[in-house]
Amino acid sequence: MSLLFDPGFVILREDQSTKLFNIILVMSQVFGGMAVLLVTIWMSKYESGFAWNENPDKEFNYHPTFMIMGMVFLFGESILVYRVFRNERKKFSKTLHVVLHSVVLVFMLTALKAVFDYHNLHKDAEGNPAPIVNLVSLHSWIGLSVVIFFCIQYAVGFITYFFPGMPIPIRQLVMPFHQMFGVLIFIFVSITVAMGISERAAWKHTCWTKEGQMCGQQAVSSFVGVFTFLYMVCVLILVLNPRWKRQPLPEEEGLHHLTSSHSMSD
């Protein structure tokens, strides 16, 4: 397995490698797009649509929808920025990376508000307040942990690489940890999504829990999980292959050496 990620182990010519990259990239966009489309269909068609906190049951539907859109698709896209635009100036890639992560943060916080409102403002069949206890499932425990680690990752990355920006030696020290934790968080996002789909299906999909048969709602929700997993796999392949890693442009190499030398002389 280590040979597959060894930059010295070359099977394909450069043009073949580029073609393979493009094929997997297109596949990733199809899989990610299908996950977003299907979760929207699931929540709008089978779960009766969306509303704000005047209808907590419908407000909940923002939770899976925005988590798939943000923490899965846009999170993956932000990771791919440095592979898709590896021949562009780093400032462009870094800015796009930060912008996408910022949008992910907004989607994530909105999705969290939706699920907490659903629990806290829940009413029984007679319309009386009947709050649901928060944070009792394994999905919620792992999910909240992922959210916390994502926020820490976002804050450290923003301060270190964007604003105010740390000195080059600190950036070099932090970078491998930033990359590693980013990939790990992304993997755990997919795991959390799978757990959330299973939990929702167990609570709401009576076609299989009571009637013991497959129905459209169950099929759509399961395919959301399948496409989420396939999208994650494609993103990981694109990110972990060293041949597709972004290399510094010539002018960036010169600036990097100049900045490093200046830092060492201070």
Side-chain angles (χ1 to χ4, degrees), residues 18-199:
T18 301
K19 184 177 181 180
L20 179 61
F21 174 88
N22 291 333
I23 291 173
I24 299 176
L25 178 63
V26 170
M27 290 171 59
S28 74
Q29 300 308 289
V30 171
F31 294 147
M34 286 300 298
V36 171
L37 175 63
L38 289 177
V39 74
T40 305
I41 292 173
W42 179 19
M43 291 297 120
S44 59
K45 179 180 178 180
Y46 294 105
E47 297 281 354
S48 68
F50 303 91
W52 292 114
N53 54 16
E54 70 274 5
N55 189 332
D57 287 345
K58 290 187 178 182
E59 185 183 7
F60 171 85
N61 296 340
Y62 285 114
H63 178 72
T65 305
F66 284 175
M67 282 299 187
I68 295 291
M69 289 180 176
M71 288 295 283
V72 175
F73 186 66
L74 291 180
F75 191 176
E77 297 300 285
S78 69
I79 295 175
L80 290 178
V81 161
Y82 287 106
R83 299 299 181 268
V84 176
F85 301 107
R86 59 186 181 275
N87 296 319
E88 301 294 331
R89 289 181 175 274
K90 191 169 186 178
K91 184 176 181 180
F92 168 80
S93 301
K94 181 165 64 174
T95 302
L96 183 56
H97 183 73
V98 172
V99 169
L100 286 174
H101 269 305
S102 299
V103 176
V104 171
L105 189 64
V106 173
F107 272 97
M108 180 190 72
L109 293 176
T110 306
L112 284 179
K113 180 183 185 300
V115 72
F116 278 110
D117 281 353
Y118 169 68
H119 284 186
N120 297 332
L121 304 177
H122 188 263
K123 297 179 181 179
D124 61 21
E126 287 73 37
N128 300 312
I132 300 173
V133 180
N134 291 302
L135 302 175
V136 295
S137 68
L138 183 60
H139 165 71
S140 64
W141 293 356
I142 296 180
L144 187 60
S145 298
V146 169
V147 165
I148 292 171
F149 280 114
F150 177 86
C151 291
I152 294 173
Q153 171 87 345
Y154 178 88
V156 171
F158 191 93
I159 293 171
T160 303
Y161 300 104
F162 196 73
F163 183 82
M166 296 290 107
I168 293 293
I170 296 179
R171 296 187 185 194
Q172 292 174 332
L173 176 66
V174 172
M175 179 56 72
F177 299 100
H178 183 69
Q179 293 173 334
M180 178 182 69
F181 282 113
V183 170
L184 288 175
I185 292 170
F186 183 63
I187 292 172
F188 273 95
V189 165
S190 299
I191 294 172
T192 307
V193 166
M195 297 172 66
I197 291 172
S198 297
E199 181 179 318

